[in-house]
């Protein structure tokens, strides 16, 4: 497990593109046959991926970073599969996740393992974890069972569908909230007008981008915005002080995940257009 110490809102304004990418971009995800994890001091989030082939991949605690006997000893975990069908073993239970299905794994679970139904067409599990203060039961939710919200318009190039998966009213959790936003063909903008939410961290993982497509993720203080150029299946860590918005060279999909002291989806501090610099 790698550790990432996040830049603060004062130092980031002096950073060049290389430094910004090292501070906020998570670019090495979804490597075939591997389970990858990144620990960040930003609300102690852990973001990662598991792409099992012939061998089952087991999620283990890092004694150095976590001081835990097993990963979920003091944590909750959200899993969303963006690949082919796969299976997740949670202690003695097993759950099959099709494309864009989600699974919540609660505090106290001792064993989590991943496998693909077909190793030649592997599952690609996206992982997001935050500390947990209470026990909530493990629960699967299919993508079609999620709560749908249709937003935006063709005229503003931001027509999109937000699907809440791990969220209040669907799955009980301590602080973790996750969902998927899909942009329709011809739409390229997400989260504009932009916002911050000082009560929680958010992490975006962009996918369904073509090999030659790019995503321009806008971030930072509203009066000192910066951007990151991102590729398919990369993630960006958004601290509570940072706005987060994006535009792509084509439509795309992204998983958003949040952790903090408020789970209400609409707890946002909106930024007026004339405040952006």
């Amino acid at each position: 497990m790698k550790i990432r110490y996040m830049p603060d809102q004062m130092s980031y304004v002096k950073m060049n593109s290389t430094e910004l990418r090292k501070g906020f971009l998570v670019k090495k995800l979804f490597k075939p046959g591997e389970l990858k994890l990144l620990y960040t001091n930003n609300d102690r989030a852990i973001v990662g991926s598991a792409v099992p082939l012939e061998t089952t991949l087991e999620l283990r605690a890092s004694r150095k970073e976590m001081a835990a006997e097993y990963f979920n000893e003091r944590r909750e975990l959200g899993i969303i599969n963006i690949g082919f069908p796969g299976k997740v073993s949670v202690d003695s239970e097993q759950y099959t996740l099709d494309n864009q299905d989600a699974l919540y794994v609660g505090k106290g679970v001792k064993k989590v393992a991943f496998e693909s139904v077909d190793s030649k067409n592997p599952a690609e599990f996206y992982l997001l974890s935050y500390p947990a203060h209470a026990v909530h039961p493990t629960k699967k939710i299919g993508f079609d069972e999620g709560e749908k919200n249709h937003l935006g318009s063709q005229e503003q190039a931001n027509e999109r569908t937000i699907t809440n998966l791990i969220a209040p009213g669907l799955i009980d959790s301590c602080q973790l909230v996750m969902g998927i936003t899909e942009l329709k063909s011809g739409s390229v903008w997400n989260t504009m007008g932009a916002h911050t939410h000082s009560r929680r961290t958010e992490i975006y993982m962009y996918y369904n981008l073509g090999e030659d497509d790019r995503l321009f993720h806008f971030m930072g203080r509203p009066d000192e915005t910066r951007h990151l150029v991102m590729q398919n299946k990369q993630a960006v860590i958004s601290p509570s002080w940072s706005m987060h918005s994006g535009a792509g060279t084509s439509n795309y999909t992204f998983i958003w995940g949040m952790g903090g002291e408020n789970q209400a989806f609409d707890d946002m501090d909106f930024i007026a257009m004339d405040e952006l610099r």
Side-chain angles (χ1 to χ4, degrees):
M1 182 187 296
K2 293 186 177 180
I3 303 177
R4 178 81 58 88
Y5 294 100
M6 304 298 297
D8 63 37
Q9 59 180 309
M10 302 304 295
S11 62
Y12 99 100
V13 298
K14 302 176 183 178
M15 300 170 72
N16 60 32
S17 293
T18 299
E19 292 167 334
L20 285 170
R21 293 173 71 83
K22 287 182 178 179
F24 299 95
L25 182 64
V26 185
K27 61 182 181 179
K28 294 183 178 180
L29 291 168
F30 303 104
K31 188 171 182 179
E34 292 190 16
L35 193 156
K36 303 182 74 67
L37 296 173
L38 174 69
Y39 184 105
T40 167
N41 66 329
N42 210 31
D43 282 327
R44 301 189 183 276
I46 295 177
V47 58
S49 61
V51 185
L53 299 178
E54 293 85 1
T55 304
T56 298
L57 299 176
E58 185 172 343
L59 184 62
R60 300 182 186 277
S62 171
R63 291 289 297 168
K64 179 180 178 181
E65 291 81 14
M66 301 173 65
E69 294 295 329
Y70 48 93
F71 188 89
N72 279 73
E73 184 176 338
R74 297 185 299 273
R75 284 186 163 269
E76 58 186 357
L77 170 68
I79 303 165
I80 297 178
N81 179 19
I82 66 165
F84 291 94
K87 297 180 180 181
V88 183
S89 297
V90 181
D91 286 343
S92 61
E93 300 292 327
Q94 190 174 74
Y95 302 84
T96 298
L97 269 61
D98 292 325
N99 184 260
Q100 299 193 140
D101 289 350
L103 182 69
Y104 171 81
V105 182
K107 175 179 177 288
V109 166
K110 292 186 176 181
K111 182 177 180 181
V112 179
F114 306 93
E115 61 182 287
S116 294
V117 172
D118 179 0
S119 62
K120 295 181 180 178
N121 296 292
E124 295 178 279
F125 297 106
Y126 176 68
L127 316 177
L128 185 60
S129 172
Y130 284 90
H133 60 273
V135 175
H136 295 291
T138 296
K139 184 177 179 180
K140 173 188 169 181
I141 182 168
F143 180 72
D144 292 338
E145 300 174 291
E147 181 181 75
K148 310 287 183 181
N149 295 289
H150 305 285
L151 300 174
S153 66
Q154 280 189 325
E155 290 76 14
Q156 292 185 313
N158 66 350
E159 192 173 5
R160 61 202 188 276
T161 299
I162 298 174
T163 302
N164 296 333
L165 293 169
I166 300 174
L170 297 170
I171 291 179
D172 292 331
S173 67
C174 294
Q175 59 174 312
L176 178 65
V177 180
M178 293 180 75
I180 295 174
T181 297
E182 298 176 290
L183 275 74
K184 291 193 174 181
S185 179
S187 289
V188 297
W189 278 101
N190 76 70
T191 326
M192 181 59 76
H195 63 261
T196 61
H197 26 68
S198 59
R199 289 151 293 280
R200 56 193 177 190
T201 295
E202 187 157 17
I203 298 177
Y204 279 10
M205 194 283 290
Y206 293 100
Y207 63 107
N208 286 343
L209 280 161
E211 183 177 350
D212 293 326
D213 287 315
R214 293 295 181 269
L215 190 291
F216 294 79
H217 180 88
F218 299 95
M219 58 163 290
R221 296 196 329 237
D223 62 339
E224 283 279 1
T225 61
R226 301 291 186 269
H227 76 273
L228 297 171
V229 180
M230 299 178 61
Q231 300 179 33
N232 190 41
K233 298 179 183 177
Q234 293 182 340
V236 57
I237 302 168
S238 182
S240 59
W241 49 265
S242 177
M243 63 163 281
H244 36 283
S245 179
T249 56
S250 71
N251 62 316
Y252 50 90
T253 306
F254 65 95
I255 295 173
W256 46 267
M258 295 179 280
E261 62 178 307
N262 192 354
Q263 292 183 309
F265 181 81
D266 59 358
D267 178 17
M268 305 172 189
D269 300 314
F270 291 97
I271 303 166
M273 284 294 189
D274 61 3
E275 295 179 26
L276 294 174
R277 298 290 186 271

